[in-house]
Amino acid sequence: MRFSKDHTRVIISVFAVVIMVAACAYIAHTYFTLPQSATSAEPYFLSKSNTLLQVDTNGSIHVTEQRTYVINEDCDRLTWDLDNMGEKTDFTMQSARLTLLDGEGQTTEALELSRAPFNPTWRTTQATPNYHAYAVDTDQHCFYLFYPLSTGQVTVSIDYTLDEAVTAYRDVTEVNWSVAPGTSTVTTQEAITTVLLPTPADADQVQQNVFAWSHGPETSSVEVSEDGVITHAVSNVQVWQYSDLRICFPTSWMTNLSPRFASQHSSQLHLSTAQTEEAAWVDAWHLRSINNYTFDAYCLVACLIVLLFSVCMYVRHGRVRLPQFRGEYWTQPVFCDRALHPSTVGQIWRWNRKNPLDLHAALNYLVVKGAVSATRKEEGIVLSRANLQEDQLKPIDQATLSFLFDQVAQGETSLSAAQLENCKNNQAQAYSQAVMDWCNTLNDQFDQDAYLEPGGRTWQVRLLLLALVTAAAGLGLFFFLGHAVVLVGCLATAAMVAVLANYVPRRTPVGNEIVAKAKALRTWIKSESADAPAVDAAQLAALMPYACLFNLKAEGLRKAHALLSEQSGLTAEDLAPLNSAETAGDQDALWQCCYAVELLKRNA
């Protein structure tokens, strides 16, 4: 199968977009799976937490927490929630210890902190006591550590006891522990919780009598050893997520409960209720997962349908036909038996988009037609209006003459490059309006001919709107429902649809042949090869407007200089304006091209 250059460009563009979207998806995945505090402006985040819970036979829990924080910027305090205190739980803090670590995690300083009376103003301000200390907000269950911390790592170890922190039912005792509360303002990279139950020495089948469940992220896991030790691990808990641990074990192991505390739920059997609740929670979680996967699948199928529809529209309206002309060079100003105006060729070349080079080609074409003459004077090259019947000119040529001499030259019959530049700079608004009027005349002439297939622009707009809607749908589903897979699929689909939309407008077979020969003509103008076809002065004069059209003025002037230098009637002084083609500005180069046409016509 043979592909045109336009086909190849489409394929390369689609593959480039796929690679770009894949890279963006990888970056987004990396961002959203890193701890939020590590990727945002939070002053610190929790890199690791080790918690040991020792459940006593009297219903209390002795807690030892060791938290390692990474400090991103200097701060004066650390805070975290103590959600496990409960409203009716007595809280006793034994100690708090701060350890400063170096870059390799080695201890540089360790100190015991004293407890400060809590000041309610600390909740809303950044105030601190005047000494290194910790405090506990028992009303809002929050721990405060006050110490000037700089970037690096610190480890905080606290030791406290929660009295009557379990719930003793008739058959089992339940422990609920919040590993990472959803109200936390920082992300937890890793949290390991170990629970030691009051297992009797003569207990049988300990592992079968202990039940543990974990709620929260999919990264969490919980294991029960043969001796009843429970290990819970979870990683990458974001600030909007939570992680909980639920444990049930025989109440017969709680041998030292006070009569008041033991009688609160002694008539209730709870194990079957807990197992039913956990089974329902797991079923609901699985159902949510299945629904999410099903929804993602439906969305990806919808993306595939959108992409296939866009491909069909590209095949219908945008697939480029291979032209019949396959030559490397073209040296005729006639395309497909049509003596087209160079500006019209530019419109076909640029898909009917406005470009100042079309005006340059039209001006140079007036010299070819004899409607304007170019002469060299003391002030430089000057264009003069010739006495030519304007009804012999096309509407676009008449509009070009009106633009140059009626509007820019203010009715004068001559115009220099300096005058045009002065008008452009000092009368910018009037100049822009004049150019716009000229472009409208060109467009009116272009629309009368069938060089672009109808419907292409309409479908281009439709596909671009479809790409925009697809991208917006993906972003909305991600930010409101958290469907990252759908986001990647929608963005990839939208990008590929946008690429296809860019290539949907298609030229007619005649327009396609014109562009193929225009490309070959541009290749000839640029070529310095001896194998390139030779032309005479008359032919080169007719081709000079295309050098202006393709912004190859310097190349066209070199060809004109080489051809004219062979003429015996021209002096070095006559050819002098053509020697500065490389250093001339765009406006001066245009006037030099007009002068080159004048010389070529005289020596044809």
Side-chain angles (χ1 to χ4, degrees):
M1 181 176 181
R2 184 172 181 177
F3 292 98
S4 69
K5 292 182 179 179
D6 296 283
H7 276 123
T8 306
R9 205 159 33 236
V10 173
I11 296 172
I12 292 175
S13 300
V14 170
F15 274 105
V17 166
V18 171
I19 294 173
M20 178 188 69
V21 171
C24 292
Y26 174 77
I27 294 172
H29 178 269
T30 303
Y31 176 84
F32 287 111
T33 54
L34 281 175
Q36 182 179 359
S37 298
T39 58
S40 66
E42 292 291 335
Y44 55 84
F45 68 92
L46 181 58
S47 65
K48 189 171 184 179
S49 171
N50 283 297
T51 305
L52 176 63
L53 308 180
Q54 188 167 359
V55 182
D56 202 348
T57 55
N58 63 3
S60 65
I61 300 179
H62 181 233
V63 184
T64 303
E65 286 191 60
Q66 187 179 69
R67 294 176 168 232
T68 300
Y69 286 91
V70 175
I71 311 300
N72 294 325
E73 59 185 57
D74 294 349
C75 58
D76 293 329
R77 66 181 182 180
L78 297 173
T79 63
W80 68 80
D81 293 332
L82 297 172
D83 270 16
N84 299 291
M85 287 176 58
E87 296 295 335
K88 298 181 180 180
T89 302
D90 291 331
F91 176 87
T92 304
M93 178 71 74
Q94 276 85 29
S95 64
R97 182 181 180 87
L98 176 66
T99 304
L100 304 180
L101 307 175
D102 59 17
E104 298 179 355
Q106 301 298 319
T107 301
T108 60
E109 184 179 359
L111 63 155
E112 296 285 342
L113 300 175
S114 58
R115 183 169 181 174
F118 180 73
N119 186 342
T121 61
W122 295 340
R123 297 171 182 165
T124 57
T125 67
Q126 294 298 316
T128 63
N130 295 325
Y131 55 94
H132 305 160
Y134 72 90
V136 179
D137 183 356
T138 55
D139 292 334
Q140 296 191 0
H141 307 164
C142 189
F143 177 84
Y144 291 78
L145 183 143
F146 301 101
Y147 189 87
L149 300 170
S150 57
T151 55
Q153 297 185 63
V154 297
T155 297
V156 183
S157 302
I158 60 175
D159 194 312
Y160 59 92
T161 301
L162 300 173
D163 295 331
E164 298 183 352
V166 302
T167 304
Y169 296 94
R170 181 178 177 182
D171 53 347
V172 292
T173 295
E174 183 174 278
V175 177
N176 289 285
W177 189 259
S178 177
V179 177
T183 58
S184 176
T185 58
V186 297
T187 301
T188 302
Q189 276 190 314
E190 181 183 6
I192 299 176
T193 305
T194 305
V195 183
L196 304 180
L197 300 177
T199 307
D202 56 349
D204 296 330
Q205 297 182 336
V206 173
Q207 193 174 25
Q208 288 74 16
N209 289 317
V210 176
F211 304 89
W213 300 276
S214 175
H215 297 169
E218 297 181 5
T219 56
S220 62
S221 63
V222 60
E223 296 180 359
V224 180
S225 66
E226 294 182 358
D227 56 357
V229 177
I230 301 169
T231 302
H232 175 271
V234 65
S235 61
N236 194 26
V237 184
Q238 303 290 339
V239 295
W240 59 84
Q241 293 178 325
Y242 71 96
S243 178
D244 292 340
L245 176 61
R246 185 181 189 182
I247 303 169
C248 287
F249 61 93
T251 301
S252 59
W253 295 358
M254 306 297 289
T255 57
N256 293 321
L257 295 176
S258 66
R260 177 194 59 79
F261 185 59
S263 63
Q264 291 180 357
H265 304 281
S266 60
S267 60
Q268 301 177 28
L269 296 174
H270 185 66
L271 180 59
S272 61
T273 301
Q275 291 174 327
T276 301
E277 291 174 350
E278 290 301 323
W281 188 92
V282 171
D283 291 341
W285 184 86
H286 281 297
L287 181 60
R288 285 195 302 270
S289 299
I290 293 174
N291 289 339
N292 286 338
Y293 293 144
T294 303
F295 183 80
D296 290 349
Y298 283 145
C299 289
L300 294 179
V301 169
C303 289
L304 181 60
I305 293 174
V306 168
L307 186 58
L308 290 177
F309 172 78
S310 302
V311 171
C312 290
M313 292 303 100
Y314 167 74
V315 172
R316 171 63 182 84
H317 297 283
R319 185 178 56 184
V320 180
R321 305 181 182 94
L322 288 174
Q324 295 181 357
F325 176 78
R326 307 288 173 80
E328 183 180 2
Y329 299 114
W330 183 259
T331 58
Q332 299 296 326
V334 178
F335 302 86
C336 303
D337 299 325
R338 302 188 181 192
L340 296 176
H341 195 282
S343 297
T344 300
V345 176
Q347 291 289 90
I348 303 171
W349 176 275
R350 301 186 182 94
W351 300 95
N352 199 20
R353 296 188 180 97
K354 297 179 177 66
N355 193 296
L357 296 176
D358 294 333
L359 180 57
H360 292 189
L363 191 157
N364 194 264
Y365 186 66
L366 288 176
V367 183
V368 176
K369 298 290 290 184
V372 172
S373 61
T375 57
R376 183 166 57 87
K377 297 183 179 181
E378 293 182 1
E379 63 270 26
I381 299 173
V382 176
L383 302 183
S384 300
R385 193 167 189 165
N387 294 323
L388 185 70
Q389 294 294 331
E390 294 191 8
D391 56 2
Q392 301 176 10
L393 300 176
K394 294 182 178 180
I396 186 60
D397 292 323
Q398 297 175 14
T400 307
L401 282 173
S402 177
F403 167 78
L404 290 173
F405 297 103
D406 295 340
Q407 298 180 63
V408 176
Q410 298 293 315
E412 297 292 333
T413 58
S414 62
L415 178 67
S416 66
Q419 287 177 291
L420 181 61
E421 192 68 24
N422 181 65
C423 179
K424 184 189 298 185
N425 296 332
N426 298 331
Q427 302 176 38
Q429 185 173 357
Y431 180 84
S432 298
Q433 184 60 46
V435 172
M436 185 63 65
D437 294 340
W438 183 88
C439 289
N440 291 335
T441 303
L442 178 61
N443 286 339
D444 292 341
Q445 182 67 30
F446 181 83
D447 292 339
Q448 296 175 11
D449 302 314
Y451 298 117
L452 297 180
E453 289 192 354
R457 290 293 183 193
T458 301
W459 276 106
Q460 182 182 47
V461 173
R462 291 173 180 174
L463 290 181
L464 288 175
L465 289 175
L466 181 61
L468 182 62
V469 170
T470 303
L475 291 170
L477 290 172
F478 174 73
F479 286 111
F480 291 104
L481 300 178
H483 290 269
V485 175
V486 175
L487 172 65
V488 175
C490 286
L491 291 182
T493 301
M496 287 185 281
V497 170
V499 170
L500 292 173
N502 184 60
Y503 295 100
V504 160
R506 179 169 58 183
R507 302 181 183 95
T508 60
V510 173
N512 210 29
E513 292 297 324
I514 292 172
V515 169
K517 293 180 178 179
K519 290 180 179 179
L521 176 55
R522 185 184 62 169
T523 302
W524 178 82
I525 295 173
K526 295 169 61 177
S527 175
E528 300 288 344
S529 172
D531 297 332
V535 297
D536 58 23
Q539 285 180 296
L540 183 57
L543 296 177
M544 283 300 292
Y546 296 96
C548 299
L549 183 71
F550 300 130
N551 201 24
L552 299 174
K553 300 181 182 70
E555 289 82 351
L557 288 171
R558 280 200 296 270
K559 288 185 178 295
H561 186 278
L563 185 60
L564 291 171
S565 61
E566 299 174 0
Q567 303 294 329
S568 59
L570 295 175
T571 65
E573 185 178 359
D574 294 328
L575 297 178
L578 307 185
N579 294 330
S580 59
E582 298 291 346
T583 59
D586 190 57
Q587 206 69 58
D588 292 329
L590 174 59
W591 255 244
Q592 291 173 11
C593 286
C594 293
Y595 179 71
V597 170
E598 195 71 42
L599 292 180
L600 289 167
K601 288 173 58 180
R602 292 176 187 175
N603 291 272

